[in-house]
Amino acid sequence: MKPFPFFTVTLFSMMTIVFTSLTQGQPTSTPDMPEKTLVAKHYYSGFPDAHDTYNAISAASDGKIYYVLSSDKHDVGGQFYVYDPATDQTKFIADLSEAVGEKNCIAQGKSHVEFYEYEGKLYFSTHVGFYEMIDGAECLPVNAPPGYKLYQGGHFVSYDMKSGKVESLALAPHGEGILTMTMDKQRGHLYGITWPKGYLLHYDLNTKQLKDLGLVNEQGEGGVIGEDYRVICRSMFVDPRDGNVYYSTAEGDIFFYRPGLAAPEKLADVDLRLDYFGTYDDTGAGSMAYNWRKIFWYEPENVAYGVHGNSGYLFRFDPRAKKIEIVERLTSEPSRKSGMFDQFSYGYLGYMLGNDQTIYYLTGGPVYIDGKRLKGVDRIAMGAARGLENLHLVTFNIPRREYIDHGAVFYQNGDLPTYVNSIAQDKAGNIYTLARFMHEGKEIEDLVKIPVDQNPSLPGWKLAWEENFDQDGVIDETVWSKIPRGGSDWNRHMSDDDALYDVKNGNLILRGMVNPGLPGDTAPFITGGVFTKDKKGFHHGKIEIRAKLGNARGAWPAFWLLPFDNTGWPRGGEIDIMERLNSDAIAYQTVHSHYTVNLKQTEPKKGSTGPIHKDEYNVYAVELYPDKLVLSINGSETLTYPRIETDLEGQFPFDRPFYLLLDMQLGGSWVGEVQPNDLPVEMSIDWVRFYEWK
């Protein structure tokens, strides 16, 4: 990909960067231009003292990006924000110390973990951001600043996305911050590892009980280097099949725990001491040693995919088979060619599974001056950059085993994002992180967005087809047909009468009315509907429908999908993108199959509701993936229905083409009786869009 037009000036006329400390007195020069580049936009959320943040950013089902900006002050807590892609605006939520009710003690300066969404709430934890320098190292304070108490310990925290309430669930023991966290969403359990010593914590949301399971490895990062010091694992995962939570150690061992065990147990016959990862002193500082850096569970294969910190190798871990396989070197393309390890001493935390079974990784790449790689220091005794580097966005599609380095990331003025250890992705495919940049003459760390629309090489939703109903009086018969009458509740009043259909002002109008006395038609009511049956199918993509629904007792408008190959119901599957009853301020979104209808299985959850603006236009959507369906209203996710491992047949018949139905319905066993005085009723469909993932 060629550089963007405004880069041709800004990158080559960027401010001269002083490299004296990194290049041991070599002459100052301008870095060579990378072959591929991406443009990023940074935001100022309103926190002038924002410090380096690790993890602490995630996308939620409401389509928004939640994040924490860190504070290194003893009297200022980390600042909790939300960004809305729809408005391109950030909003302050809370100061972490104030939110958990603490005063006059060393602040809850940051969160070091991702957000985990469960039953309408985001779960995360807090950590200390203010340190005391002891023997040249950043340590948990043992001397409180005047007028303040020592750090009280990190909190497990929940945030209610509807009410906006932040609640402390439990306080970590021993006065330690919570460094690492994961969640078992199926069972309602939180797990954490504290810092600096590394106690494993288990919090049960059902019983509201916190359990201290002891130290995970010697004295953790509170130990003596060369003796009982061990760098602590920064990422854990849960196997949803049995609830086992897994973490690694500096020696490269893998441990697991689940409720009911007396203590964590070492997984036998497998470890992370691989030659490809390098050789480490597990009692030393300045690297993650043999720990994995970041890891996540990948349900389609029932394995975990992780990345090793310093080497950047992607690996596949099967906990039941006790097997680790090297998959790919996930570093940037320049790093792969140069053979260098990561310049950030611990490796990178900007690693996630994205919308499309693709891994997204924000990693480093060497900076070159006159064709020569700029070399940093050989070793540092903490998690920090050993030298200046470019930021690269790398993707790896798991099913296709496809690696792509999309290029080095720059701000619009040509500056480099630095200290990047977080990542999130919105529903459109835009990438977010927290990174350093200059604001009003001061370097801060804040929200950064890498937009899909300005970076064509990035995966994202690409509009493949749309119907805008922009020709008055004309329904495109190459795509749509009027739905004929049938014997079911939903189609027993269907009619092709012209009074039920209209296209005007860019809308398709579908009506329901009292039968005016059509010749030979004895139905008390008539309704209009169209479908794409035998004309247009939809598979592996996203369907969005913008529509305004009329209000009437007995009205039952619906947008839904049936199998294009006409496989019989319910074995072929049915996806209800929108069903609304009467004048309700909610809409229903549901899936049906042999598994849910005939076998009457209720897990996974098959349906949900979401609020709508009852007298306005709303956008109803479904995302069709090989392994799941994601339904949403106005950008807020209401239901994810996954493919699961089961011996029962017909659980996921949805990986096939479907046709679309748009229809006004009246009466039936679900919606109830029709009130004729409320008729006619109509709905206006502004547009239908189908996106494919590029």
Side-chain angles (χ1 to χ4, degrees):
M1 183 185 77
K2 294 182 179 179
F4 295 95
F6 49 82
F7 273 18
T8 59
V9 176
T10 57
L11 284 180
F12 286 105
S13 61
M14 60 190 291
M15 293 177 60
T16 301
I17 302 174
V18 179
F19 294 115
T20 304
S21 62
L22 298 176
T23 58
Q24 302 174 343
Q26 295 177 23
T28 302
S29 301
T30 300
D32 299 345
M33 176 69 169
E35 291 183 7
K36 296 189 293 184
T37 57
L38 299 173
V39 59
K41 175 183 179 181
H42 56 66
Y43 295 79
Y44 178 59
S45 301
F47 184 31
D49 296 320
H51 193 58
D52 300 332
T53 299
Y54 300 84
N55 287 316
I57 186 169
S58 297
S61 64
D62 60 4
K64 299 175 183 178
I65 307 297
Y66 291 84
Y67 59 101
V68 172
L69 299 181
S70 296
S71 167
D72 61 355
K73 312 295 185 185
H74 71 275
D75 55 352
V76 179
Q79 306 293 290
F80 184 19
Y81 291 90
V82 62
Y83 167 79
D84 188 347
T87 62
D88 198 34
Q89 298 292 317
T90 65
K91 180 182 177 182
F92 174 74
I93 296 176
D95 175 293
L96 294 184
S97 286
E98 295 175 0
V100 299
E102 291 184 353
K103 295 181 180 179
N104 302 321
C105 50
I106 292 174
Q108 300 293 338
K110 58 183 168 184
S111 177
H112 204 286
V113 304
E114 299 174 27
F115 297 88
Y116 295 85
E117 185 172 347
Y118 177 68
E119 295 185 347
K121 294 182 179 180
L122 299 178
Y123 291 87
F124 62 107
S125 59
T126 64
H127 188 35
V128 65
F130 173 77
Y131 304 106
E132 183 176 347
M133 296 302 296
I134 302 175
D135 296 331
E138 292 181 334
C139 298
L140 187 69
V142 295
N143 298 290
Y148 283 80
K149 294 178 288 187
L150 288 172
Y151 184 66
Q152 302 297 290
H155 294 250
F156 283 122
V157 178
S158 69
Y159 170 71
D160 190 310
M161 293 191 293
K162 186 174 182 179
S163 70
K165 181 181 179 182
V166 181
E167 180 182 4
S168 172
L169 305 174
L171 179 68
H174 314 293
E176 300 211 343
I178 301 177
L179 178 73
T180 308
M181 179 183 145
T182 193
M183 183 174 190
D184 182 347
K185 295 183 181 181
Q186 292 193 8
R187 299 165 182 85
H189 294 175
L190 304 179
Y191 297 97
I193 300 177
T194 68
W195 183 92
K197 289 191 175 181
Y199 293 89
L200 180 64
L201 306 180
H202 168 215
Y203 180 76
D204 188 332
L205 291 174
N206 307 293
T207 64
K208 299 183 180 180
Q209 296 296 310
L210 178 70
K211 188 173 183 180
D212 179 358
L213 297 161
L215 295 170
V216 298
N217 196 12
E218 297 290 343
Q219 292 296 305
E221 292 171 38
V224 177
I225 292 176
E227 297 179 14
D228 55 1
Y229 178 95
R230 300 291 189 276
V231 67
I232 297 169
C233 176
R234 263 63 173 175
S235 182
M236 301 186 287
F237 74 90
V238 172
D239 183 339
R241 297 172 296 180
D242 51 23
N244 281 347
V245 59
Y246 291 85
Y247 63 89
S248 63
T249 68
E251 294 93 339
D253 294 320
I254 299 171
F255 282 76
F256 69 93
Y257 172 79
R258 66 177 176 272
L261 293 180
E265 297 181 3
K266 180 179 173 180
L267 191 65
D269 303 322
V270 65
D271 60 64
L272 294 162
R273 293 182 291 275
L274 306 183
D275 290 346
Y276 276 38
F277 291 170
T279 303
Y280 302 93
D281 174 6
D282 52 54
T283 69
S287 78
M288 288 301 297
Y290 293 100
N291 275 296
W292 56 55
R293 181 56 164 156
K294 198 80 179 281
I295 196 164
F296 61 77
W297 182 253
Y298 183 60
E299 192 163 1
E301 297 177 9
N302 283 321
V303 299
Y305 278 86
V307 64
H308 178 255
N310 295 82
S311 66
Y313 274 103
L314 176 70
F315 63 89
R316 183 179 184 271
F317 169 42
D318 186 333
R320 291 192 175 175
K322 299 181 180 180
K323 185 177 182 181
I324 290 177
E325 298 175 340
I326 295 293
V327 178
E328 179 70 85
R329 189 156 187 235
L330 207 59
T331 53
S332 66
E333 194 170 315
S335 294
R336 284 154 58 116
K337 290 179 179 178
S338 71
M340 66 176 283
F341 268 13
D342 291 338
Q343 285 286 292
F344 198 88
S345 61
Y346 280 8
Y348 306 94
L349 289 168
Y351 167 90
M352 66 169 290
L353 180 65
N355 299 339
D356 56 337
Q357 301 185 71
T358 294
I359 296 170
Y360 291 77
Y361 189 41
L362 289 169
T363 183
V367 172
Y368 289 88
I369 298 177
D370 299 327
K372 185 176 180 180
R373 181 167 73 87
L374 181 67
K375 189 178 185 299
V377 297
D378 290 331
R379 184 175 178 81
I380 57 175
M382 59 185 295
R386 292 186 285 113
L388 188 72
E389 59 183 350
N390 289 321
L391 174 69
H392 284 245
L393 175 60
V394 171
T395 59
F396 183 82
N397 183 273
I398 295 176
R400 297 196 301 269
R401 291 296 193 263
E402 180 183 51
Y403 162 97
I404 301 175
D405 181 347
H406 297 275
V409 181
F410 294 88
Y411 296 129
Q412 293 182 0
N413 67 354
D415 287 350
L416 311 177
T418 55
Y419 273 75
V420 175
N421 269 289
S422 58
I423 192 169
Q425 183 183 43
D426 67 19
K427 294 180 179 181
N430 299 302
I431 299 297
Y432 300 83
T433 188
L434 301 166
R436 290 184 183 181
F437 57 85
M438 298 300 296
H439 176 74
E440 297 182 350
K442 180 181 179 181
E443 188 175 52
I444 64 169
E445 178 142 327
D446 211 324
L447 182 68
V448 171
K449 179 179 183 178
I450 306 173
V452 170
D453 58 355
Q454 295 182 41
N455 298 294
S457 77
L458 294 184
W461 291 118
K462 179 181 179 181
L463 185 64
W465 173 84
E466 62 182 329
E467 171 65 89
N468 292 310
F469 305 109
D470 51 8
Q471 191 172 353
D472 283 1
V474 177
I475 297 176
D476 184 355
E477 294 183 358
T478 66
V479 176
W480 306 100
S481 303
K482 293 180 179 179
I483 299 175
R485 183 167 297 176
S488 300
D489 267 2
W490 72 271
N491 61 7
R492 60 182 176 157
H493 297 135
M494 286 294 161
S495 170
D496 62 1
D497 188 75
D498 289 343
L500 301 170
Y501 303 85
D502 202 355
V503 178
K504 64 179 180 181
N505 300 323
N507 282 253
L508 169 65
I509 314 296
L510 298 174
R511 299 186 177 94
M513 62 178 62
V514 175
N515 190 336
L518 297 177
D521 191 340
T522 60
F525 309 104
I526 54 174
T527 57
V530 296
F531 56 18
T532 67
K533 184 177 182 180
D534 300 328
K535 293 183 177 179
K536 185 168 187 62
F538 303 91
H539 189 209
H540 291 173
K542 178 180 181 179
I543 299 172
E544 288 186 333
I545 304 163
R546 184 175 188 266
K548 180 167 65 173
L549 310 176
N551 302 305
R553 182 178 171 185
W556 176 23
F559 308 144
W560 49 308
L561 297 168
L562 288 174
F564 195 79
D565 62 7
N566 297 316
T567 299
W569 193 88
R571 290 187 177 274
E574 173 187 328
I575 305 168
D576 296 326
I577 304 170
M578 183 283 297
E579 293 181 284
R580 192 270 196 117
L581 307 180
N582 304 306
S583 304
D584 289 353
I586 61 170
Y588 297 82
Q589 296 185 300
T590 318
V591 300
H592 302 281
S593 65
H594 171 68
Y595 179 84
T596 65
V597 176
N598 296 331
L599 302 183
K600 302 186 185 306
Q601 298 299 303
T602 57
E603 292 294 334
K605 183 181 177 182
K606 68 172 185 175
S608 187
T609 62
I612 64 171
H613 309 295
K614 58 183 295 185
D615 297 315
E616 301 174 15
Y617 284 92
N618 295 270
V619 177
Y620 308 91
V622 62
E623 298 167 30
L624 308 165
Y625 298 101
D627 62 337
K628 65 180 177 181
L629 305 174
V630 180
L631 292 138
S632 63
I633 299 174
N634 295 324
S636 293
E637 182 182 319
T638 64
L639 177 70
T640 295
Y641 186 80
R643 183 196 297 270
I644 64 170
E645 256 192 10
T646 177
D647 294 331
L648 300 176
E649 63 176 321
Q651 185 269 326
F652 196 86
F654 305 110
D655 188 11
R656 66 200 317 160
F658 282 80
Y659 67 87
L660 176 64
L661 302 91
L662 314 173
D663 50 63
M664 175 60 75
Q665 304 163 179
L666 289 174
S669 57
W670 184 26
V671 68
E673 293 184 359
V674 181
Q675 173 51 259
N677 292 336
D678 290 347
L679 304 180
V681 63
E682 64 182 36
M683 62 175 170
S684 301
I685 302 162
D686 186 12
W687 44 254
V688 180
R689 294 174 181 169
F690 179 66
Y691 303 83
E692 293 176 340
W693 195 262
K694 66 182 179 72

